[in-house]
Amino acid sequence: MAHRLQIRLLTWDVKDTLLRLRHPLGEEYATKARAHGLEVEPSALEQGFRQAYRAQSHSFPNYGLSHGLTSRQWWLDVVLQTFHLAGVQDAQAVAPITEQLYKDFSRPCTWQVLDGAEDTLRECRTRGLRLAVISNFDQRLEGILEGLGLREHFDFVLTSEAAGWPKPDPRIFQEALRLAHMEPVVAAHVGDNYLCDYQGPRSVGMHSFLVAGPQGLDPMVRDSVPKEHILPSLAHLLPALDCLEGSTPGL
């Protein structure tokens, strides 16, 4: 007779799963630039950021730790390049803005808890589940979670900066399992990114759920993920866990 599966550990992505920026990034950058006497279009900053972040992540993955950078310097470089791509060539004028933005994005008030996140975390705890964070974030995350009242829900917070590996690298999931003293078969991960949060944990034998969010999933992603693993909202998590635990392990 097959044993009934019981999930004991739930690990969580953070950005766009539990938290999001209170205002669009381009608006945040433009507001700070205006306070320093620079007028830059939010849309240009938004586009510049996407390009700068992608290039920096490619050249110096995981905050450039293996290249001798600190996460702070990594982010200051991204912001400087964002303004450059948005048409601001005066690096000296941008320098104080980069410092201010780094501080602002460290503050809990820049972020907001997504609808249903706190209730879901509380219900998971009531159910007896252990909770932890696995996030491609830097050292500022602990303070942000603390300030928003979410840190108390988690046994530990494992960032890619602390681990040395970003999702979807299997090693960050293995490190989380080691910290929790759990086997992968009794652990599941929740997040909104197909590669990092759905495929990554499955590569080490964990279960995973993909949060669709208000924009929904890319059709190719949606068609490749079983519908019982897709969460239209966080309120669907516990029913999805019930469904998973009602299945036969290995099937």
Side-chain angles (χ1 to χ4, degrees):
M1 182 177 178
H3 293 289
R4 186 176 185 274
L5 175 66
Q6 183 179 12
I7 298 298
R8 297 172 59 200
L9 172 70
L10 266 183
T11 61
W12 293 79
D13 172 53
V14 173
K15 187 176 180 295
D16 297 324
T17 298
L18 296 173
L19 308 179
R20 70 177 172 206
L21 289 171
R22 192 169 292 278
H23 304 291
L25 182 138
E27 290 182 16
E28 289 277 0
Y29 278 38
T31 298
K32 291 300 176 293
R34 195 173 301 117
H36 286 78
L38 289 177
E39 286 291 338
V40 193
E41 282 296 319
S43 59
L45 288 164
E46 189 85 43
Q47 183 178 354
F49 175 82
R50 285 197 297 269
Q51 294 176 17
Y53 181 86
R54 191 182 307 118
Q56 186 84 330
S57 297
H58 181 265
S59 299
F60 304 104
N62 199 28
Y63 306 115
L65 301 179
S66 63
H67 293 79
L69 292 177
T70 64
S71 59
R72 179 179 175 279
Q73 186 58 56
W74 191 94
W75 276 116
L76 295 180
D77 291 345
V78 168
V79 177
L80 187 65
Q81 185 64 13
T82 295
F83 277 90
H84 180 79
L85 291 168
V88 182
Q89 309 300 322
D90 187 350
Q92 191 171 357
V94 174
I97 303 172
T98 66
E99 294 283 354
Q100 186 61 54
L101 283 166
Y102 183 83
K103 292 175 184 174
D104 287 348
F105 278 71
S106 307
R107 295 184 175 121
C109 60
T110 302
W111 303 84
Q112 66 182 44
V113 180
L114 288 169
D115 290 343
E118 195 156 14
D119 288 343
T120 301
L121 292 172
R122 193 176 295 112
E123 289 166 6
C124 288
R125 279 294 193 190
T126 300
R127 187 172 170 141
L129 289 161
R130 293 181 61 191
L131 308 180
V133 164
I134 304 177
S135 177
N136 287 354
F137 216 106
D138 59 59
Q139 60 188 354
R140 297 174 292 176
L141 184 56
E142 288 262 7
I144 293 167
L145 292 172
E146 187 77 42
L148 291 169
L150 297 186
R151 178 62 182 87
E152 65 188 35
H153 296 292
F154 301 109
D155 287 14
F156 60 85
V157 173
L158 182 61
T159 64
S160 59
E161 180 177 13
W165 314 288
K167 297 178 299 183
D169 192 307
R171 290 172 291 185
I172 194 170
F173 296 102
Q174 291 165 342
E175 176 64 6
L177 292 168
R178 186 191 69 79
L179 290 171
H181 305 288
M182 292 282 181
E183 293 297 320
V185 71
V186 297
H189 183 75
V190 183
D192 71 310
N193 184 282
Y194 176 68
L195 288 176
C196 291
D197 299 313
Y198 186 75
Q199 294 281 61
R202 288 180 176 266
S203 71
V204 300
M206 293 172 64
H207 306 275
S208 58
F209 296 100
L210 190 61
V211 179
Q215 280 75 43
L217 296 172
D218 179 275
M220 289 185 65
V221 170
R222 186 182 63 237
D223 292 344
S224 65
V225 177
K227 63 180 181 180
E228 60 269 25
H229 298 166
I230 296 174
L231 307 178
S233 72
L234 290 181
H236 291 78
L237 174 60
L238 291 180
L241 272 178
D242 290 335
C243 179
L244 175 63
E245 292 183 335
S247 65
T248 304
L251 294 184

